[in-house]
Amino acid sequence: MKITGAKVIVTCPGRNFVTLKIETDQGLYGIGDATLNGRELSVASYLTDHVIPVLIGRDASRIEDIWQYLYRGAYWRRGPVTMSAIAAVDTALWDIKGKAAGMPVYQLLGGASRDGVLVYGHANGNDIEHTVDEVGRYIELGYKAIRAQSGIPGVKGAYGVAKGTMYYEPADSALPSETVWNTSSYLNFAPKLFDKLREVHGYDVELLHDVHHRLTPIEAGRLGRDLEPYRLFWMEDCTPAENQEAFRLVRQHTTTPLAVGEIFNSIHDCRTLIQEQLIDYIRTTVVHAGGITHLKQIAALAALYQVRTGSHGATDLSPACMGAALNFDLWVPNFGIQEYMRHTEETDAVFPHAYTFDDGYLHPGNEPGIGVDIDEALAAKYPYDPKQLPVARLTDGAMWNW
């Protein structure tokens, strides 16, 4: 089955997405997500200028060989642009293989390991009272696990506070907007938030929290210790992980479960974290970590150390990525949880999909391939709209981690 054509589709049904569509001589096609939030056109160019020309004429069934060709054949390896492009090709090829076999991808991976995929939603509030109400609303929607974020008194633009009631999209302007961060205010505030959440909602619901790389290792250790009474499912991205050894210090000071990895691009970004059991959940995702083929390697390494998966699943990943992730999640033995931020109605219309939500769980469905398609005519009605993620400064004006 030869690859006869491929094209990049850039569309903005509420936010920007980059999709690769690969076509074959047997009339089958597959799609893969290539979205890199705020840097979408860099991946679109990489695919168009450097990847698609070398795909034409190759055997679409040789997924592993094509992955190795795109990874080993590029002298400048890894990085978010390269790995997102490889992921798009890889996902599209798995989609094609599933369609050729008449099976969903999870069946090709080895079949289901569970009946459904536990997911968590995002409850975002302007203050504690608002966040408590939002968590309650997600409980009513059927969620069994909820990430809770709140505005912080005196902190402009605290991470995770949505402008609407359901959809959260941080990329907000053509040039990056600026927010202000105050670590001391946050460290004093966060335990109060979870104290109130447990008081109102009890301990039957799983609660998660995203620190978004804002703390030093010792600050993260302090926060994790302070949050221990509230039994979080995890504390996410507590400190930047370019220096993986930094998590040794965090681990020494808290038993709060740790999750990290949504910005990782390869197994090398998390080897130390996994092998030294410095984390409990690895959050690498299909689109940014080289596709299903590479995610299998990361999960296999993690399984040796009882680290579970918890893939990133924000709205900066298209339904094509969610479909691929859910097929992976349903199969992978050491699954933990899947992030699930709902897309807008416009996005769902552009990307019709088979996955469904019921009582706190998602299922990818049983359509052949990844179970997601793209309506190209509808996608063309939503032109690219330049948007970038914010940046953060400390109260003294110094740059910090957004």
Side-chain angles (χ1 to χ4, degrees):
M1 182 165 49
K2 299 296 183 182
I3 297 173
T4 56
K7 59 182 172 181
V8 176
I9 303 163
V10 181
T11 184
C12 185
R15 61 108 43 239
N16 292 309
F17 297 108
V18 179
T19 306
L20 176 68
K21 183 175 183 179
I22 295 179
E23 299 167 328
T24 69
D25 60 0
Q26 294 187 16
L28 297 176
Y29 67 86
I31 65 170
D33 186 16
T35 307
L36 184 61
N37 199 355
R39 298 291 186 269
E40 295 89 359
L41 297 185
S42 59
V43 187
S45 174
Y46 192 99
L47 285 166
T48 301
D49 298 331
H50 305 289
V51 174
I52 289 176
V54 303
L55 291 178
I56 307 305
R58 295 188 181 275
D59 184 347
S61 67
R62 297 183 63 172
I63 298 176
E64 184 68 41
D65 181 67
I66 291 174
W67 194 96
Q68 296 292 339
Y69 181 89
L70 295 176
Y71 181 83
R72 294 176 183 268
Y75 185 73
W76 311 106
R77 294 184 184 181
R78 298 158 59 186
V81 174
T82 296
M83 296 305 283
S84 295
I86 292 175
V89 175
D90 187 75
T91 303
L93 294 179
W94 277 103
D95 192 25
I96 291 169
K97 187 174 284 286
K99 290 174 179 176
M103 295 180 179
V105 166
Y106 76 81
Q107 293 287 15
L108 302 181
L109 294 172
S113 297
R114 54 196 51 82
D115 297 327
V117 174
L118 179 66
V119 298
Y120 68 91
H122 287 202
N124 308 310
N126 297 318
D127 52 28
I128 289 179
E129 181 179 356
H130 187 197
T131 303
V132 168
D133 290 342
E134 287 297 295
V135 168
R137 187 164 69 91
Y138 273 83
I139 292 173
E140 291 175 355
L141 289 170
Y143 286 84
K144 302 182 185 304
I146 302 162
R147 192 190 83 165
Q149 308 290 138
S150 174
I152 304 166
V155 176
K156 173 190 173 185
Y159 170 77
V161 180
K163 296 179 176 64
T165 57
M166 179 62 75
Y167 311 109
Y168 171 57
E169 175 49 60
D172 58 4
S173 59
L175 295 177
S177 59
E178 294 199 4
T179 62
V180 178
W181 181 249
N182 186 305
T183 299
S184 178
S185 296
Y186 168 71
L187 288 174
N188 291 329
F189 174 82
K192 298 175 184 176
L193 169 65
F194 285 93
D195 184 68
K196 190 65 176 179
L197 286 170
R198 287 306 188 195
E199 176 189 333
V200 174
H201 297 297
Y203 285 80
D204 289 338
V205 62
E206 299 285 3
L207 295 178
L208 303 85
H209 182 63
D210 187 358
V211 184
H212 224 248
H213 312 102
R214 302 298 176 89
L215 303 178
T216 65
I218 196 64
E219 290 167 346
R222 171 188 158 189
L223 178 62
R225 180 198 62 203
D226 290 347
L227 292 176
E228 285 175 10
Y230 311 113
R231 299 214 322 258
L232 268 62
F233 187 94
W234 77 34
M235 180 171 69
E236 176 186 338
D237 291 348
C238 60
T239 193
E242 291 97 336
N243 176 13
Q244 297 179 50
E245 290 82 0
F247 275 71
R248 292 173 184 161
L249 185 57
V250 183
R251 199 60 136 177
Q252 289 171 10
H253 290 279
T254 183
T255 58
T256 294
L258 304 175
V260 74
E262 71 181 50
I263 65 172
F264 291 172
N265 307 128
S266 82
I267 197 169
H268 303 292
D269 296 324
C270 53
R271 279 190 301 139
T272 298
L273 291 168
I274 291 172
Q275 291 173 336
E276 295 189 18
Q277 294 178 284
L278 301 178
I279 58 173
D280 302 279
Y281 297 91
I282 180 63
R283 300 199 65 248
T284 45
T285 191
V286 172
V287 64
H288 296 149
I292 292 172
T293 296
H294 193 55
L295 209 58
K296 287 171 58 184
Q297 294 184 23
I298 295 173
L301 175 64
L304 296 178
Y305 300 93
Q306 299 187 61
V307 173
R308 291 184 284 177
T309 65
S311 290
H312 178 60
T315 47
D316 59 345
L317 311 181
S318 87
C321 184
M322 180 58 74
L326 291 173
N327 275 275
F328 180 86
D329 296 337
L330 199 68
W331 158 76
V332 69
N334 53 320
F335 171 75
I337 200 167
Q338 172 66 54
E339 182 177 19
Y340 174 46
M341 287 180 68
R342 298 179 182 229
H343 290 102
T344 64
E345 292 180 1
E346 292 83 359
T347 295
D348 285 338
V350 170
F351 295 94
H353 52 266
Y355 61 79
T356 54
F357 174 83
D358 181 55
D359 195 29
Y361 293 83
L362 279 172
H363 193 284
N366 288 298
E367 293 294 318
I370 63 172
V372 181
D373 204 348
I374 184 169
D375 184 331
E376 293 188 61
L378 188 55
K381 296 180 179 180
Y382 298 101
Y384 174 72
D385 183 17
K387 292 287 174 61
Q388 295 197 45
L389 293 168
V391 298
R393 294 185 183 273
L394 299 178
T395 50
D396 67 0
M399 283 297 301
W400 198 240
N401 310 305
W402 180 79

